[in-house]
Amino acid sequence: DAKTTQPPSMDCAEGRAANLPCNHSTISGNEYVYWYRQIHSQGPQYIIHGLKNNETNEMASLIITEDRKSSTLILPHATLRDTAVYYCIVRVDNAGNMLTFGGGTRLMVKP
Amino acid sequence: KAGVTQTPRYLIKTRGQQVTLSCSPISGHRSVSWYQQTPGQGLQFLFEYFSETQRNKGNFPGRFSGRQFSNSRSEMNVSTLELGDSALYLCASSLFTPGTLNEQFFGPGTRLTVL
């Protein structure tokens, strides 16, 4: 699976959009971009995934650049409950269910 | 629908002992994966089971083992415990559809402390 690079930490004001970047410059054509988050003392939670088109669900939006070498997870209106570590993962579609987690980004949403 | 359950939630053992952790997947999920989380190494994949067979294995010593039962419940075992095995052990379950990615649902984890 391709290696990802994320900033170790970010702050965001409550109610504002949180934009979390991820670099995956060595991604291959059949690798998807997945985002999970882990709130303190809980197991990771799936957020969203995509291949090359932008995706949106009830939790977030995922913007993938045209060359697919980077992506941004957008939480449109961050709340205090969004404070967590966010993990960007890239993986192929037939690799079983193994996830390779990097260091992630610790997002702190402040009042 | 009940989520992934893990028992026990907390466990304290001493070096040299062995430990067995249990995971009950979401009803209907047939794939179970285990992860170890430590402050130093982060989240690391241990192994994945489907239909009682190990499909993938991470880079851990043979002291770490697992199994899956016919009802999809899974157990992992760590023998001859070392201080470095102190960690949060997470279990995740998912549906399994060949050739596709499946969302994984994580349990709350078992916090193991080795003294």
Side-chain angles (χ1 to χ4, degrees), chain A residues 34 38 91-93 97 99, chain B residues 31 35 37 94 99 101 104:
Chain A
Y34 265 63
Q38 186 174 24
R91 56 192 296 257
V92 297
D93 61 358
N97 287 317
L99 295 173
Chain B
S31 172
Y35 293 81
Q37 186 171 30
S94 68
L101 288 168
Q104 293 197 54

Side-chain angles (χ1 to χ4, degrees), chain B residues 1-2 24-31 50 71-72 93-96:
Chain B
K1 196 178 214 184
S24 293
I26 291 172
S27 177
H29 286 191
R30 298 170 63 192
S31 172
F50 174 74
N71 62 357
S72 295
S93 78
S94 68
L95 294 168
F96 176 69

Side-chain angles (χ1 to χ4, degrees), chain A residues 57-69:
Chain A
N57 63 20
E58 65 279 3
M59 287 183 68
S61 294
L62 174 60
I63 308 297
I64 302 174
T65 57
E66 192 167 340
D67 63 8
R68 304 211 320 123
K69 292 185 177 182

Side-chain angles (χ1 to χ4, degrees), chain A residues 19 23-24 40 50-51 55 66 70 77 79 88 96 109:
Chain A
N19 297 283
N23 183 286
H24 31 80
H40 183 62
L51 183 62
E55 302 287 345
E66 192 167 340
S70 66
H77 305 287
T79 71
C88 169
V109 180

Side-chain angles (χ1 to χ4, degrees), chain B residues 6 25 55 60 62 73 75 77 85 88 102-103 114-115:
Chain B
Q6 293 187 245
R55 296 183 66 231
F60 279 82
R73 191 176 69 85
E75 288 181 347
N77 183 278
D85 297 332
L88 180 66
N102 301 285
E103 176 186 346
V114 182
L115 302 177

